[in-house]
Amino acid sequence: MNIQITNDGTVPIYEQIARQIKGMVLNGTLKEGDALPSMRLLAKELKISVITTKRAYEELERDGFIVSMTGKGSFVAGTDTELLKEARQKELEQTMEELVAQGKELGLSLEELMELMTIIYRGE
């Protein structure tokens, strides 16, 4: 599984893992019934604690993205991806509202905010 983590401290590692797996489900890379690596295997691959992968899998299960079966592993849940995508978009909108408020506090114009977003989106 191609998961990239950073140790910059801004986003907890378990959250980075969960976000990336959610993204793979939403964009179709992972499909209903696909098996996820065991918590131990993923922890070994990422060189992190099993506790961290356990927390990520618990969040994914709580949010309806995966199901875990004792002795069998964790699998992508049969879910309405459009509904999940809508929920994620709502979270994104809330985050954007917070960013816009911060930009306004700094005195940035809409054009400056959009230029900054464009630069970040393109990875420039």
Side-chain angles (χ1 to χ4, degrees), residues 5 21 53 64 79 89 92 114:
I5 57 171
I21 292 174
T53 56
T79 56
Q89 185 172 334
L92 177 61
M114 290 176 67

Side-chain angles (χ1 to χ4, degrees), residues 39-93:
M39 291 179 218
R40 291 183 194 280
L41 178 61
L42 185 59
K44 184 177 178 183
E45 287 176 0
L46 298 176
K47 297 178 175 72
I48 59 173
S49 166
V50 174
I51 294 169
T52 303
T53 56
K54 182 178 188 294
R55 190 164 178 192
Y57 278 32
E58 286 171 345
E59 179 176 316
L60 288 163
E61 190 162 16
R62 183 192 70 235
D63 292 347
F65 283 85
I66 67 169
V67 291
S68 297
M69 295 180 264
T70 305
K72 293 187 178 184
S74 298
F75 302 87
V76 176
T79 56
D80 181 352
T81 55
E82 284 304 312
L83 187 60
L84 293 174
K85 197 173 199 175
E86 182 69 27
R88 293 277 317 271
Q89 185 172 334
K90 184 172 173 59
E91 290 175 19
L92 177 61
E93 288 170 8

